[in-house]
Amino acid sequence: MNLKPLFVLWPLLLLSFGLAAAEDEKIEYGVSEYANTFQDKTLKQHHNRPSTADHGEFDELKGPFASGPEVTKACLGCHNKAGSQFAKNKHWTWEYKHPVTGQLLGKKHLINGFCTNARGNEGMCAQCHAGYGWKDEGFDFTKLENIDCLICHESTGTYYKTPNSEGNAACSVMFEGKPAIEWERVAQSVSLPSRNNCGKCHFFGGGGDNVKHGDLSSALFNPPKALDVHMAADGNNFDCTTCHVGEGHQWEGSRYQMTVFDAKGTGKPGMPRDTASCASCHGHEPHPKVNVSGLLLNSHTEKLACETCHIPEFARGGVATVTHWDWRTQGKLKNGEGYKLKEYTQGNGEHRATYKSIKGDFKYGENIQPHYAWFDGTFKFTTLDTVFDPSKTPVELNSFSGQPGDKNSRIYPFKRMLTVQPYDKGNNTLVYMHLWGNDENALWGNYDLQKAISAGMARFNKPYSGEFDFIETYSYWPINHMVAPKEDALACDQCHSSEGRLKGIEGIYMPGVGGSDLVDRIGLLAALAALLGVLAHALLRFISGRRRAH
């Protein structure tokens, strides 16, 4: 027998087997969104405000309990105002009437550039609703025992939510092997919300770790100081509620209407603080006034948000964020099944899906330089009722206002997300899609966009022409978290140079950008004159103070 051909072919066979194995490692079948929010890996949080009660000793919480609503009834038996307070909270209503634009917003209504719409898909999406059992329009918002107290207050790390309705067979891999919830244990563990409570939903918005915001990821469960000076254990070790302050289950920090210029807080001890802003602690002149550098930096706060300099990059800490999402490619199958293709390895070594049959293609980014623009805190949204011109793209899902010279506006950092998503080609509007369910129209099972859009629009009696296409959209996500140590803040030349970060921003003059040497010199002289004036004023106040003292 002549074995020579085998010796020749053997390396090629090994190579082909190796490539096939490598490809298989990147492929994962089925749907496993939200199957792991890593909460069980996080550290026990300390609280800056120690509790005055040990709920483990309360007879009311000793049970037995067979469900979440039973626990809530026990909670409301003592906290008899909490239910009516929380019933007004966006975490319960998923609805917000914008005080400036008058738009009716919230997850209950909006379309986004990720999974597109929670409305109609509550069976899946309401895992992150602070309530029990919302799966369709029949959910009773007046039934206060449906409020989920545990999602915000339990501290064992063992509590979890599952979909409120059944999905397609491809979704059966979700939550397999989860242990039963020990209701008495989680009920007795309640305390003030920690970052674990907030993070298991807010760090995973949009369908995965840091998919949506860019500055909210699982890296913040236990961040080093280099990632976030406020949340690091060796930094301030803040919980989310340290900044997102509030009373009566209403707290600050919604992105629908933000406070860019905080006229309330000045940072003085004992003063009222009811805004989630940098100035509410640091004031409007946060840099030391004892040297020229501090004085110059303080002069920037009239035009720049603190975040612009102090969060030079987002998606840091080894967890990537999605920057591009293309729905056009959804629906590909392997061996007749939906799958994920994991071809992006992020900084912490974990593999991320670059393709999902249920969602299409993705691109990721890490350590991303923000997009900058003037911003006064007000967003206006493209809703389902907004008719747009498809020849003018990308369509902005949320545009914002702000301009130089406006006392409430500052130059602000954003994540800008690009999505290619379906729209109604006949009516020139965005569309709802029926994603979740164990029925023939659910996209996450049949991979048929036409059926999913038709069912999604029909469910809410919304007009649909019957013809869809795809359109590019932008969405803007303000960057507020992952505050770097001061030594890692933007250096002067990162803006004051010909190709600096703020190139193209209107309404500001920046020495050093290369416009005119003469103007630069005049500007520099003006700045030095102003600085000398401030120093002279300070010196005179010092001398007059000493004279009064004597």
Side-chain angles (χ1 to χ4, degrees), residues 512-531:
V513 299
S516 166
D517 288 343
L518 178 60
V519 174
D520 279 359
R521 288 174 185 172
I522 294 173
L524 182 59
L525 289 172
L528 288 173
L531 181 61

Side-chain angles (χ1 to χ4, degrees), residues 462-476:
K462 297 295 182 182
Y464 175 49
S465 68
E467 190 175 6
F468 75 89
D469 204 341
F470 297 91
I471 195 163
E472 287 189 343
T473 64
Y474 273 151
S475 57
Y476 296 91

Side-chain angles (χ1 to χ4, degrees), residues 369-407:
Q369 179 178 312
H371 170 84
Y372 299 101
W374 286 99
F375 180 44
D376 64 6
T378 299
F379 279 109
K380 188 173 183 180
F381 289 79
T382 297
T383 69
L384 193 68
D385 300 321
T386 306
V387 177
F388 51 79
D389 181 351
S391 68
K392 298 178 180 177
T393 58
V395 172
E396 292 185 326
L397 297 180
N398 60 337
S399 58
F400 51 87
S401 52
Q403 58 185 344
D406 172 23
K407 69 173 184 178

Side-chain angles (χ1 to χ4, degrees), residues 132-346:
Y132 293 112
W134 187 5
K135 58 184 178 182
D136 53 35
E137 295 296 292
F139 183 73
D140 188 353
F141 287 89
T142 66
K143 204 172 180 180
L144 300 184
E145 61 262 39
N146 281 339
I147 293 173
D148 184 354
C149 304
L150 295 172
I151 195 73
C152 298
H153 291 284
E154 81 90 23
S155 64
T156 67
T158 63
Y159 181 69
Y160 60 90
K161 304 285 286 285
T162 55
N164 294 320
S165 63
E166 191 175 353
N168 186 275
C171 307
S172 61
V173 297
M174 297 177 67
F175 307 105
E176 285 180 346
K178 286 275 187 183
I181 295 172
E182 300 175 64
W183 293 106
E184 294 79 16
R185 183 185 173 206
V186 295
Q188 292 164 25
S189 78
V190 295
S191 65
L192 291 171
S194 72
R195 75 182 67 154
N196 291 2
N197 300 101
C198 307
K200 63 186 174 185
C201 279
H202 289 282
F203 294 168
F204 294 85
D209 196 353
N210 203 22
V211 165
K212 182 188 288 184
H213 293 275
D215 62 343
L216 288 174
S217 78
S218 65
L220 291 175
F221 278 134
N222 185 28
K225 201 171 181 179
L227 177 59
D228 192 301
V229 294
H230 295 117
M231 299 179 76
D234 57 346
N236 297 111
N237 204 14
F238 284 174
D239 289 313
C240 304
T241 53
T242 308
C243 294
H244 292 273
V245 291
E247 297 291 340
H249 285 95
Q250 308 297 321
W251 50 86
E252 292 296 315
S254 169
R255 71 179 171 86
Y256 291 131
Q257 178 61 44
M258 295 179 59
T259 301
V260 172
F261 171 65
D262 181 0
K264 295 180 182 177
T266 62
K268 293 180 180 176
M271 291 193 70
R273 180 171 162 266
D274 56 4
T275 54
S277 72
C278 302
S280 66
C281 283
H282 296 285
H284 295 296
E285 295 182 328
H287 307 96
K289 293 185 252 183
V290 296
N291 54 46
V292 174
S293 175
L295 293 169
L296 282 174
L297 289 173
N298 283 337
S299 71
H300 286 61
T301 61
E302 291 185 355
K303 294 183 173 61
L304 301 180
C306 301
E307 293 90 336
T308 298
C309 293
H310 290 276
I311 312 177
E313 296 173 338
F314 61 90
R316 308 197 320 271
V319 181
T321 188
V322 172
T323 57
H324 299 74
W325 186 321
D326 191 344
W327 275 93
R328 290 175 297 184
T329 56
Q330 71 82 36
K332 299 176 186 174
L333 304 178
K334 281 187 181 293
N335 304 322
E337 288 189 62
Y339 67 98
K340 296 177 181 178
L341 185 59
K342 295 184 173 181
E343 292 188 316
Y344 182 88
T345 303
Q346 62 187 15

